[in-house]
Structure formats: C-alpha cells, structure tokens
Amino acid sequence: MKTLLEAIRPTTFLEPLKLRERLGLDLTVATETFQHTGSFKFRAAYNSALNANGDHMITASSGNFGQALALACRMLGKRCHVVMPDTSAQVKIDAVRGFGAEVVLINTKQVGREERVDQLMEEFPGAYRASPYDDDHVIDGNASLGDEIAAYGEFDVVISPIGGGGLISGISKALCNAGHKAVLCGAEPLLGNDAARSLASGRLIRNEQEPMSLADGARTISLGNRNWEIIKDGVSEIFEVTEEGIREAVFRYFLDANLKVEPTGALTLGAVMENRSDFEGKRVCCVVSGGNVDAKVYAGIVAGSSLQG
Amino acid sequence: MKTLLEAIRPTTFLEPLKLRERLGLDLTVATETFQHTGSFKFRAAYNSALNANGDHMITASSGNFGQALALACRMLGKRCHVVMPDTSAQVKIDAVRGFGAEVVLINTKQVGREERVDQLMEEFPGAYRASPYDDDHVIDGNASLGDEIAAYGEFDVVISPIGGGGLISGISKALCNAGHKAVLCGAEPLLGNDAARSLASGRLIRNEQEPMSLADGARTISLGNRNWEIIKDGVSEIFEVTEEGIREAVFRYFLDANLKVEPTGALTLGAVMENRSDFEGKRVCCVVSGGNVDAKVYAGIVAGSSLQG
C-alpha cells in the first residue's frame, strides 16, 4: 500500500519564458494537469481513501473528484460508488468506470445527488462518505501540493483556484507549516463569488444557486465549513475573474506556454491578467488545478480567441 | 555566458496513466514542449550559437529553429538574421522578432531561402551560417536530450521524430555514448518518407518536393549528410505515419495525457498507435519534439476527431 507521497506524481513547475515576457511578470506555474487523473483531486482522493475506515467509498461527483476517487480506490483495493447525473458527458462516465468504480446515474430532477448518496449510505452501512473538499484528509492530501510549492523556492504571492476551498485550504496549511512567507490569494469566477464575499464580510456566504461559470470545477454553492475556517485567516485576497478573463487565460497558456489547462485551472492566470499591477515586481506562483476539459469547449476557446498574437 | 546545460530546460518525462492503459503499453513520454521557445530546437540553436565563431548568426527558417536561434543569440549577445517566407504566419514572424532577431522576409517565388542566405553571407562576411540539422554543434546540442533519456531509466525502444535528422542523430550519439541498450527508431510522415526509403536502400534518397504533411517540422527534402552518416548505422527502423495517424496522436495526447503537442511532435505516438504490436511488452520512450502549433489547426484536430472517447 503506497503512502500519499509514493502514490502521487509531483507537480510540474514551469517558468514559461514567452508568457513571462508577454506579461512582464516573474511568473512560475505549478501545474497539476499531469497529476494522475489530470487534476490535483487525486491527492485529496488518495489521502481520503487511504485514511478512511472500511473498504468502501461513496461520493457524488460529475467531475474530477469522481475519477480521482475511482483510481485511488482501485489502487487501494477498495470498492467505490460514484453518483453522477445522467446528463454527464459519456466520456466522464466512461473515465470513472474505466478506473473500476460503480457509477450510479441519477435524474437530478427526481433525486438530489446528496440524497442519493444518503440512500447508498443506508444500503452500505460500512461505507465512507467521501467529500471532495470538506474533509480533513482531503485538506491534508492537498497540502502535499503546498509542501512542494514551499520547497520549490521563494515566492511573494501564491495564487490558487477556489471552488469548495479544498485546494487553497490545503495549500494554506502547508505554507503555514513551512513558515513560508508568501501571501496566499484565491481566484474564483465572478459569476460565483461566494468566497470573495465571504472573506470580505468575515462570515460564510452561499451562492443562491450553482453558478454556471465556464470554470466548472468552481460551480459550488459555498465553501466547506472546514475549508472556511482555514481560508478566513490564511487567505489574503480573493480575485473575482470574469468569464472572458478565464477564456483569455486558457488561450494564453495554449499560445505562450504550450500548456493545456481546463477553465478552472486558468482562474489564477485570469486573475493575474485582470489585475496585473497587483503582481508587478513580485515573484508569483500560479497554481493550475487541472487540465481535463471537453474537446469541443477547448477547441472553441482556442479557435475563437481575439488574442491571436 | 551559460553552458548548454545551464541554458536549457531539462525535458519533461511523463508516464500518462490513461494513455498507457488505453494502449496497453509501457509508455514514457519525453516532451520538449516546455523547452525554451517550445521545442527541442533550442538545444541545437544554443549549442550552435555558443560554439560558432563570430558574433553574428544567419539562418533560413519558417519554424521552430528561427525562434530558437533568435533566443539563443539574444542570450549570447549575438546578432541574428532569420530569412522567412513573406507568407509565414504573423505570429511566427512576431515570435522571432520578439526574441530580438532581424527578420528578412522573402517572396519565395522570386528568391530561394538558401539563395537569400547566400546573399546575406556575402553582405556579412564574418557571420556564421546556421543549419537547423546538418551541423555538428546542432547534433551535439540535441544529444543533450539523449543524455537525459539515457539517465532517466531503462527503455527497450526509444522513438524520435525525423525531419532533417538533427534530433534523432543527436539522440543516437548520446545513447551510443552512454552504452544504453535501447533500440532507436524514427517516425516520419508517410507523405515524406525519404528517411525510411534511405534506410531501406542504404543510400541517401531525397523527396522530389517538399512534402506537405501536417507535420510541418518534417517537411524536409532530405536528411542532412552529417545526420545520415549517424542514422544509417544508429537507427533500427523508421516508421511511416499517415496523416490520419498524426491527427489521432495529437488528439490522444490532448485527451489522455493533457499534453498539447504539435503534429511533428505527435509522429512518434502516431507510429506506436499504427504499429502497436511492435511495441507490446516493451518499455517505450516516445520523444515529443515540440508543441508550437497554429491555434486554428489545433482546434480543428481536437474538435474534429472521430475518437471522442
């Protein structure tokens, strides 16, 4: 049974020359696009499956966490159920099944995702209910990325995407433990700016509905409670990125860094591009959370950009 | 003045799980997409500029070598002229200029590329004529990638793209020097299969005209003489890849490895996919030469693939 550090692939640090010169910024990218299953979620999922009691994990996820948990369970010899809407892209369903998990498709008009997980938890009393962010093992799993950033070098600012807050809370914990001096910032879609509003008001605020941002990894109603407790003290600022800013950042990575990123992963560069002066003269580390994006969506962004140069 | 090894970025090794499972092969990717200027050519160009007499380099290139030489000369404080067809994409012209080189645009219907370089060499007698492949410093620069592959681990087969032969001859030299046991193979477009025909016949054969493959880095008339001398003994087999195979490999990297590659860089995976049984049970290292591809071409490949799963 591999430990977390044996199971994960270390992050890939890039210092893309063209992008740095284009923006005139001292930019380093820590990209999780080459992590197993294509996103940082594998760190969280593996650590959760490794530490959970029992040999059966159940979660609801239509995105990266489902794939990550499926692979983690396969590696650890655990059974895994993933609840997914029956409208999920076939390629995502196939990916979860491909890693050996049992997919439970639901019609979300008839039953909620968490309600279906409740039913499964009743059916399988020994199973562990895996949360993609509001879970200490998840946060500790993600902290392994923060450890790598702290070990890589000196940064003045580290900036991470925010959805449910699992990644940034892990990074915060790690930077704090390492005594790293970087200021930690977040980047979330303007369309779903609950984290920015929460940080500004000092209390956890929820979106009224799932925000339909292109950054589908950040379509969360609110931060998790455990995540908020860390974020409210550990995060200095949260940038709200426009949809156009997300698209431009995806394209910039394509053109100036040869890096394929998913829209959620591009939030941090979008924040930097939309707030350039805040980062001038600073050593900036942009975290890219993952690279899994629908082929047609990606092609549309790359071919449709107005920034062809 | 940085040495070659100080100037280059080490290659990025990936062992992409989804791709390995999809193909059922023990596949490692050595990707130069994150090398400075986005392709292995920077290794060649830097070593050439570092070792050339004088402080002025002249070359003809509409592709990756021009950008690479421009950056190398900027780093080494040398003057640089790059002859480019006036039909080159503006983004490529801008990239070469952006690195500080002087671009000489020509109408190829009126003057040949090498003819225009001849004229410049007369105008600037102290300048060095830089060849993108048929040059010992270029081969030695590319050998640095072979050194990294040899140091990374044991492989049964290493497979490299072939255009003019600069990359594969460098890798051959390095693997030989290291006493590495891997069989070295090449991958070139079926549309321009001069290298395969040369290897089969034992003598250097030229294409009758520039082959219009999607793999624009392999649109060469023939191997260089210095390259052929190394290839004829050091390379075991050259696979001829169809245009459809190149497109499918670009898409597979996109979907199963989150890796943006240019068509020339995808030749090796194309060869593996089209000749899968040859690689079964072997530890295979696929070299990806670079990632610079026109946005609309790439979007067309990604959106147009029939392999959506």
Side-chain angles (χ1 to χ4, degrees):
Chain A
M1 202 153 69
K2 288 182 177 178
T3 64
L4 175 64
L5 293 185
E6 288 165 352
I8 59 169
R9 177 189 152 85
T11 202
T12 302
F13 288 100
L14 302 173
E15 296 172 359
L17 188 68
K18 267 192 205 176
L19 187 58
R20 292 164 76 114
E21 297 195 355
R22 168 103 55 191
L23 301 176
L25 293 175
D26 182 350
L27 193 74
T28 300
V29 179
T31 179
E32 286 284 285
T33 52
F34 306 120
Q35 186 56 263
H36 303 311
T37 68
S39 89
F40 78 96
K41 292 279 187 186
F42 179 73
R43 297 173 185 264
Y46 191 87
N47 205 46
S48 181
L50 183 67
N51 288 287
N53 290 327
D55 56 2
H56 187 178
M57 309 284 288
I58 300 176
T59 197
S61 165
S62 52
N64 285 324
F65 188 70
Q67 281 190 53
L69 190 67
L71 176 62
C73 286
R74 190 182 79 179
M75 290 170 69
L76 291 162
K78 296 195 176 192
R79 188 173 181 185
C80 180
H81 274 102
V82 179
V83 172
M84 302 179 78
D86 58 10
T87 52
S88 304
Q90 192 62 39
V91 58
K92 292 189 179 179
I93 297 171
D94 290 345
V96 173
R97 285 201 181 122
F99 290 124
E102 293 161 75
V103 173
V104 180
L105 292 176
I106 55 166
N107 179 337
T108 52
K109 285 172 191 152
Q110 292 175 348
V111 61
R113 302 168 198 212
E114 294 306 322
E115 192 183 339
R116 188 70 186 89
V117 174
D118 290 342
Q119 294 167 356
L120 288 166
M121 290 298 296
E122 275 186 37
E123 193 180 339
F124 302 103
Y128 183 88
R129 184 181 197 127
S131 160
Y133 44 91
D134 196 1
D135 177 304
D136 288 330
H137 294 312
V138 160
I139 295 169
D140 288 341
N142 293 332
S144 63
L145 176 56
D147 293 337
E148 292 182 41
I149 293 169
Y152 185 76
E154 292 294 314
F155 295 112
D156 299 306
V157 187
V158 174
I159 177 164
S160 161
I162 297 196
L167 178 56
I168 200 168
S169 57
I171 292 174
S172 177
K173 212 169 154 179
L175 294 183
C176 186
N177 283 346
H180 199 281
K181 294 198 179 65
V183 165
L184 179 60
C185 298
E188 74 177 344
L190 176 61
L191 276 186
N193 61 351
D194 57 294
R197 288 185 291 139
S198 297
L199 195 65
S201 69
R203 63 191 176 80
L204 187 54
I205 294 176
R206 298 163 66 87
N207 291 311
E208 296 197 356
Q209 56 191 16
E210 198 172 291
M212 290 312 290
S213 170
L214 188 62
D216 56 356
R219 288 181 190 166
T220 38
I221 296 291
S222 77
L223 298 169
N225 291 315
R226 289 173 186 76
N227 313 103
W228 166 241
E229 287 305 314
I230 296 172
I231 289 167
K232 69 186 173 62
D233 298 319
V235 175
S236 300
E237 187 169 358
I238 296 175
F239 294 94
E240 300 164 51
V241 187
T242 66
E243 295 298 294
E244 185 53 24
I246 295 169
R247 297 173 76 91
E248 289 191 6
V250 169
F251 182 70
R252 275 281 153 249
Y253 274 129
F254 171 88
L255 192 72
D256 292 337
N258 282 339
L259 189 64
K260 177 203 167 191
V261 305
E262 60 183 69
T264 311
L267 277 168
T268 47
L269 182 62
V272 169
M273 288 167 63
E274 290 189 335
N275 303 276
R276 202 191 147 280
S277 61
D278 290 7
F279 297 92
E280 206 159 1
K282 296 180 181 163
R283 294 164 300 182
V284 182
C285 178
C286 270
V287 175
V288 172
S289 50
N292 299 332
V293 48
D294 179 80
K296 291 200 167 39
V297 169
Y298 191 78
I301 294 173
V302 165
S305 174
S306 54
L307 307 173
Q308 297 291 344
Chain B
M1 201 155 68
K2 288 184 178 177
T3 65
L4 175 64
L5 294 185
E6 289 165 352
I8 59 170
R9 176 188 155 83
T11 203
T12 303
F13 288 99
L14 302 173
E15 295 171 0
L17 188 70
K18 268 193 203 175
L19 187 59
R20 292 164 76 114
E21 297 194 354
R22 167 103 55 191
L23 301 176
L25 294 176
D26 181 350
L27 194 75
T28 300
V29 179
T31 180
E32 285 284 286
T33 51
F34 307 120
Q35 185 56 265
H36 304 310
T37 70
S39 88
F40 78 97
K41 292 280 187 185
F42 180 73
R43 298 174 185 264
Y46 191 87
N47 206 46
S48 182
L50 182 68
N51 289 287
N53 291 326
D55 56 1
H56 187 178
M57 309 284 287
I58 299 178
T59 198
S61 165
S62 52
N64 285 324
F65 188 70
Q67 282 191 53
L69 191 66
L71 175 62
C73 286
R74 190 183 81 181
M75 290 170 70
L76 291 162
K78 296 195 176 193
R79 188 171 178 185
C80 181
H81 275 101
V82 179
V83 173
M84 303 180 78
D86 58 11
T87 51
S88 304
Q90 191 63 39
V91 59
K92 292 190 177 180
I93 297 171
D94 290 346
V96 174
R97 284 202 181 119
F99 290 124
E102 293 160 75
V103 173
V104 180
L105 292 176
I106 57 165
N107 179 336
T108 51
K109 285 172 190 151
Q110 293 174 349
V111 63
R113 301 169 199 210
E114 294 308 321
E115 192 184 339
R116 189 69 186 90
V117 174
D118 291 340
Q119 294 169 356
L120 289 166
M121 288 301 295
E122 276 187 34
E123 194 181 338
F124 302 104
Y128 183 89
R129 184 180 195 127
S131 161
Y133 45 90
D134 196 0
D135 177 305
D136 289 330
H137 295 312
V138 160
I139 295 169
D140 289 341
N142 293 333
S144 63
L145 176 56
D147 293 338
E148 292 181 41
I149 292 169
Y152 185 75
E154 292 295 313
F155 295 111
D156 300 306
V157 187
V158 174
I159 178 164
S160 161
I162 297 195
L167 178 57
I168 199 168
S169 56
I171 293 173
S172 177
K173 214 170 153 178
L175 294 183
C176 186
N177 283 345
H180 198 281
K181 293 199 181 65
V183 164
L184 178 61
C185 297
E188 74 178 344
L190 175 61
L191 276 187
N193 61 351
D194 57 294
R197 288 186 291 141
S198 298
L199 195 66
S201 70
R203 65 191 174 82
L204 186 55
I205 294 176
R206 299 162 66 86
N207 291 312
E208 297 198 354
Q209 55 190 13
E210 197 172 291
M212 290 313 290
S213 170
L214 188 62
D216 55 358
R219 288 181 189 166
T220 39
I221 295 292
S222 77
L223 298 168
N225 291 314
R226 289 174 185 76
N227 314 102
W228 167 242
E229 286 305 314
I230 296 172
I231 290 167
K232 70 185 173 63
D233 299 320
V235 175
S236 301
E237 187 170 359
I238 296 175
F239 294 94
E240 301 165 49
V241 187
T242 66
E243 296 298 294
E244 186 53 25
I246 296 169
R247 298 173 75 92
E248 289 190 6
V250 169
F251 182 70
R252 275 282 153 248
Y253 274 129
F254 171 88
L255 192 71
D256 292 338
N258 281 340
L259 189 63
K260 176 203 167 193
V261 305
E262 61 183 68
T264 311
L267 277 168
T268 47
L269 182 63
V272 169
M273 289 166 61
E274 290 189 337
N275 302 275
R276 199 191 149 280
S277 60
D278 290 7
F279 298 92
E280 206 159 0
K282 296 180 182 163
R283 295 163 298 180
V284 182
C285 177
C286 269
V287 175
V288 171
S289 50
N292 299 331
V293 49
D294 179 81
K296 291 198 165 41
V297 169
Y298 191 78
I301 295 173
V302 165
S305 174
S306 54
L307 307 173
Q308 298 291 343

